[in-house]
Amino acid sequence: TAGKGSSSTEMEERPFNQVKMNQVKLRCPVKHGDIKNLSLGDLVFLDGVLFTGREGAYRRYLDEGHDPPAPFHDLSNVNFHCSPAATPLKEGGFSIKAVTGTASFRFGKWMPRWFEQTGCRLIIGKGGMTSKDYRSLFVPHGAVYLTTVGYGLGATYGRGVKSVREVHWLEELGIAQAIWVLEVENLGPFIVESDLEGRSLFELSNQEINRNLLELYQGLPEPVLKRYGESTDRRDEVL
């Protein structure tokens, strides 16, 4: 079950590293009440049905105007930016043993139309998007972003894939870019990177880190090679 989210006031009053993180299980497709209770940094595991889709599918559907292979609203409202390692089975169908998330920041230009035409409420990928995208695109559509955890967890995520329900545009886009409709169980862990207020876990973490960096630089001795550009000012560029 999802824990109650922290309010903006609570986040501002407490140091970021003291905010409680929860472990959450969500059922896909997700309901508004499910994601409403998510807090930044929560670990999320997913059950149910979701679909993959990244730049190839976005471009084919939104830019080139191809009709969707199936109404996206009927598939799920959970979209995973990823590349599944799919292997054809002799008896038909596919087996997926690994899933690798792909960087979502590249897809911002498609998200306004994507949200409007698909009704997606949960976007999953690697590394997050910009806080501007969260505020201007995700918030108006009641959507949040989950990020994969580090590198090398493809097999871990693959264990959460129970079966492949459907695959669309495989011939046109190839395995990595096709739309895979997956039934999953305990798929995760994912980290809540944005919430319904448009806040970003990574942005808040960076602010906390940067706040302490100035103190570290102030304690450094005078640079030996100052005349050659060595500096203790963190605002200086390193060439």
Side-chain angles (χ1 to χ4, degrees):
T1 57
K4 293 183 178 180
S6 300
S7 68
S8 299
T9 302
E10 289 174 336
M11 293 288 289
E12 293 170 358
E13 290 178 349
R14 286 184 289 168
F16 186 71
N17 58 9
Q18 293 181 17
V19 175
K20 182 180 179 181
M21 309 304 179
N22 306 296
Q23 183 165 308
V24 181
K25 177 70 71 72
L26 294 182
R27 184 79 188 174
C28 305
V30 295
K31 299 178 181 178
H32 176 76
D34 297 331
I35 60 178
K36 180 181 180 181
N37 289 326
L38 293 176
S39 298
L40 293 179
D42 283 350
L43 285 181
V44 177
F45 294 83
L46 304 174
D47 291 341
V49 177
L50 54 78
F51 67 92
T52 72
R54 43 186 295 188
E55 69 267 31
Y58 286 6
R59 187 180 299 113
R60 182 174 175 81
Y61 174 49
L62 297 173
D63 294 346
E64 298 175 6
H66 291 273
D67 290 333
F72 287 107
H73 291 81
D74 294 343
L75 299 180
S76 182
N77 60 5
V78 181
N79 173 202
F80 193 176
H81 297 158
C82 68
S83 300
T87 303
L89 300 173
K90 292 182 180 179
E91 62 272 23
F94 295 86
S95 172
I96 293 180
K97 298 298 184 183
V99 179
T100 303
T102 192
S104 299
F105 71 90
R106 300 173 292 141
F107 307 151
K109 64 180 180 180
W110 288 297
M111 297 313 295
R113 290 176 292 161
W114 182 253
F115 281 133
E116 292 171 1
Q117 298 183 38
T118 67
C120 280
R121 292 294 177 266
L122 195 64
I123 303 294
I124 310 168
K126 181 178 71 175
M129 302 181 73
T130 68
S131 57
K132 180 181 178 181
D133 284 341
Y134 295 146
R135 292 190 297 268
S136 63
L137 305 179
F138 281 63
V139 170
H141 292 93
V144 301
Y145 184 94
L146 306 183
T147 180
T148 54
V149 181
Y151 291 92
L153 290 182
T156 298
Y157 293 122
R159 287 197 290 268
V161 178
K162 290 181 62 178
S163 65
V164 177
R165 286 198 171 187
E166 309 166 36
V167 58
H168 303 288
W169 290 342
L170 181 59
E171 292 185 4
E172 295 86 349
L173 299 178
I175 289 177
Q177 300 279 352
I179 297 172
W180 297 84
V181 184
L182 307 177
E183 184 175 358
V184 301
E185 182 176 10
N186 207 40
L187 177 66
F190 302 106
I191 300 175
V192 178
E193 148 63 2
S194 81
D195 60 15
L196 288 177
E197 296 181 23
R199 295 174 301 173
S200 165
L201 173 72
F202 294 157
E203 183 178 81
L204 291 172
S205 298
N206 287 337
Q207 290 175 2
E208 194 73 21
I209 293 169
N210 290 338
R211 187 178 296 116
N212 296 326
L213 278 179
L214 289 176
E215 297 179 6
L216 295 175
Y217 274 86
Q218 289 173 358
L220 293 176
E222 187 73 13
V224 176
L225 300 178
K226 184 174 183 180
R227 61 180 294 187
Y228 294 106
E230 187 179 18
S231 172
T232 57
D233 189 336
R234 64 178 299 269
R235 295 168 298 182
D236 291 338
E237 293 188 20
V238 178
L239 304 180

